[in-house]
Amino acid sequence: MPTPVVMPQMGESIAEGTIVRWIKQVGDQVERDEPLFEISTDKVDAEIPSPAAGVLTDIKVREGETVGVNTVVATIGQAGEEVRRADSAQTGASTSGPGATQQADGQSTPAPTPADKTVSAIKAEEPSGNGRRKSSPLVRRIAKEHNVDIAQIPGSGLAGRVTKNDILGFIEHEGVRLKPDATRTQGEVRLKPDTTSPRAPQIVRPSGSDRVEKMSVMRKKIAEHMVLSKRTSAHVYSVFHVNFSQIEKLRQQKKAEYEAAGAKLTYMAFIARVVTEALHHHPVINASIDGDTVIYRKEINLGIAVALDEGLIVPVIRNADEKNVLGLSRAIADVAERARSKRLNPDEVHGGTFTITNPGQFGAQFGMPIINQPQVAILGVGTIEKRPVVLEDAIGIRTMAYLTLGYDHRLVDGAVADQFMAAVKHRLECFDAGDC
């Protein structure tokens, strides 16, 4: 009996997913739980396993297409079953059989598949009777911050859902700067766009020697998040020069011990440990803004940025403050490895309260990272290397690095940010040093 393959729900707030790549092709033999296709959502990229063993007899959704959760995207059949090639599925090449219907010109048309019916039914849905359009919590938050009525935005998502692209495009088109509309009666204020704002050119024409490629799904989502963050937060930066000589000494002393325990002792584990301790004493750095209220997070969920070939992803280590250096070493290595192999779960890429990114691993002296919304701060780690420094009245060689804190000046003042960074600097330079 054929087994339908559906678009999975990769998180509570996820309504749709994009098929990035089919790992198996029509006619291929597949085993149960063997990777079948790769998807991308607002939260995570993942390889989806086959729900059954058999032969991939039908692919209903092509690479690059976005469909709602629980939509049938393929069929797994038994060995020897007739396969339906992806190209015929798209062109309607089949013109006969019990499922075909006659058109007025005498040609037959295949009857709609269950997936076609699902998509058609979803597209036919209208906004709810109260005039509200479907949207995610993220879209509603963007609308609230920019005083936008979601009901005014035509949704391009499934069931008329307003997507991030829809609302960001609306804000960009209408203008971000808002001013009062004097046509309202006294006591009422209506905000409308200031159309006098200059806008960047929208059309770029490539020359004959240029190579043109469509943005990947991950790249588009990164672009959306970064533009949203710059529009939302007032970014300010503080840079501290930190002596890592004590950390380097401990790494050399305990390297063999940690390797025996199955963990690689890295600078990042020490930095993560110190940051979680400092966040306890500076809770505003671990907070979020929701409209005109501040949410002080009780948990410290640490995001660790991981660079992939196609972009950047930030898996989250939950309750990071409850782990020691060994535990953090293992956790960081685990999420990084699974991020690169696309085996992260949806819950592991959201809910972070503070993020650390490490441009220094590629040689950068320091960076100015963009805040990972809805957080209010992010730490950038520059390259850690030996440098000449002034020690009292002499010059010595020490292992040094620049640490950069990017913070949201709507909530975090410079004094608070610098106090937090001073605490991080002191804890790193005096790690396990009783006389420091």
Side-chain angles (χ1 to χ4, degrees):
M1 180 177 179
T3 302
V5 181
V6 302
M7 175 64 69
Q9 175 118 29
M10 299 295 286
E12 184 178 352
S13 63
I14 302 300
E16 59 190 19
T18 301
I19 293 185
V20 178
R21 178 172 65 98
W22 281 100
I23 299 171
K24 295 292 185 178
Q25 300 300 321
V26 171
D28 287 353
Q29 183 77 32
V30 295
E31 300 296 331
R32 181 181 177 87
D33 296 329
E34 184 179 7
L36 188 59
F37 60 99
E38 183 181 330
I39 70 168
S40 181
T41 72
D42 283 352
K43 300 294 185 184
V44 66
D45 286 3
E47 292 181 350
I48 306 305
S50 173
V55 176
L56 182 59
T57 58
D58 186 11
I59 291 179
K60 301 180 184 296
V61 179
R62 291 182 296 183
E63 293 179 357
E65 290 188 1
T66 301
V67 296
V69 299
N70 297 324
T71 299
V72 177
V73 299
T75 304
I76 302 292
Q78 300 299 318
E81 273 190 45
E82 181 181 357
V83 299
R84 181 183 178 191
R85 297 291 171 184
D87 53 356
S88 65
Q90 297 300 325
T91 60
S94 175
T95 58
S96 62
T101 58
Q102 291 295 122
Q103 294 181 338
D105 59 3
Q107 294 181 346
S108 61
T109 303
T113 65
D116 297 331
K117 293 179 181 178
T118 301
V119 174
S120 299
I122 291 174
K123 287 184 177 179
E125 289 185 22
E126 297 293 335
S128 59
N130 59 11
R132 295 178 60 188
R133 288 189 178 274
K134 294 183 178 180
S135 59
S136 68
L138 174 60
V139 169
R140 292 193 291 274
R141 180 168 61 80
I142 298 171
K144 181 178 179 181
E145 291 171 350
H146 292 279
N147 299 309
V148 173
D149 182 2
I150 294 180
Q152 297 177 352
I153 305 174
S156 64
L158 297 175
R161 188 181 186 90
V162 178
T163 66
K164 285 187 300 182
N165 280 336
D166 295 332
I167 191 166
L168 292 177
F170 179 84
I171 293 170
E172 181 70 26
H173 181 266
E174 298 296 336
V176 177
R177 294 170 56 196
L178 303 173
K179 60 183 181 182
D181 183 357
T183 63
R184 302 292 286 182
T185 60
Q186 187 175 6
E188 292 182 288
V189 176
R190 180 187 176 196
L191 297 178
K192 73 175 186 179
D194 179 358
T195 56
T196 61
S197 304
R199 294 181 187 154
Q202 298 296 313
I203 299 176
V204 179
R205 292 182 174 86
S207 66
S209 60
D210 293 335
R211 180 165 57 92
V212 179
E213 292 181 355
K214 190 174 181 179
M215 265 191 175
S216 68
V217 175
M218 174 177 278
R219 193 74 260 165
K220 286 192 291 185
K221 294 185 185 303
I222 291 173
E224 292 168 7
H225 285 299
M226 296 301 96
V227 171
L228 168 64
S229 185
K230 293 293 285 186
R231 284 175 174 159
T232 301
S233 296
H235 283 68
V236 184
Y237 297 92
S238 290
V239 182
F240 275 59
H241 204 194
V242 180
N243 188 342
F244 276 81
S245 298
Q246 173 66 11
I247 301 297
E248 176 60 17
K249 176 182 175 182
L250 292 172
R251 285 184 67 238
Q252 297 304 323
Q253 289 176 351
K254 299 186 178 183
K255 182 186 298 185
E257 176 186 339
Y258 274 63
E259 288 178 354
K264 184 178 179 181
L265 187 55
T266 64
Y267 291 112
M268 184 59 71
F270 288 99
I271 295 170
R273 179 59 187 165
V274 162
V275 163
T276 58
E277 292 173 349
L279 287 173
H280 272 298
H281 298 281
H282 301 83
V284 70
I285 307 293
N286 199 53
S288 293
I289 299 175
D290 182 17
D292 57 357
T293 61
V294 180
I295 302 172
Y296 292 92
R297 307 288 185 179
K298 182 178 179 180
E299 295 181 345
I300 295 178
N301 299 329
L302 202 59
I304 303 294
V306 178
L308 309 177
D309 291 339
E310 61 272 25
L312 190 74
I313 194 168
V314 186
V316 175
I317 300 172
R318 298 192 176 277
N319 300 308
D321 54 319
E322 298 177 2
K323 300 181 184 296
N324 58 18
V325 175
L326 176 59
L328 287 168
S329 296
R330 288 172 169 165
I332 292 170
D334 174 60
V335 295
E337 190 276 329
R338 288 191 293 113
R340 296 186 179 101
S341 60
K342 301 183 185 298
R343 292 187 290 111
L344 288 173
N345 298 319
D347 289 343
E348 294 177 302
V349 290
H350 69 87
T353 60
F354 185 89
T355 295
I356 301 176
T357 184
N358 184 19
Q361 65 183 311
F362 304 110
Q365 291 294 302
F366 57 85
M368 300 292 179
I370 297 175
I371 296 168
N372 188 15
Q373 296 295 325
Q375 299 166 28
V376 296
I378 183 171
L379 183 72
V381 180
T383 188
I384 301 174
E385 61 185 2
K386 289 186 176 181
R387 296 177 191 150
V389 294
V390 176
L391 306 171
E392 296 181 354
D393 292 330
I395 294 178
I397 304 298
R398 294 293 184 270
T399 302
M400 307 292 295
Y402 290 104
L403 299 185
T404 302
L405 183 72
Y407 56 96
D408 189 341
H409 213 343
R410 295 180 303 163
L411 179 62
V412 183
D413 291 330
V416 176
D418 290 343
Q419 289 166 7
F420 170 79
M421 287 299 290
V424 170
K425 173 183 171 73
H426 176 76
R427 291 171 183 272
L428 284 171
E429 293 181 343
C430 299
F431 202 100
D432 277 358
D435 57 345
C436 185

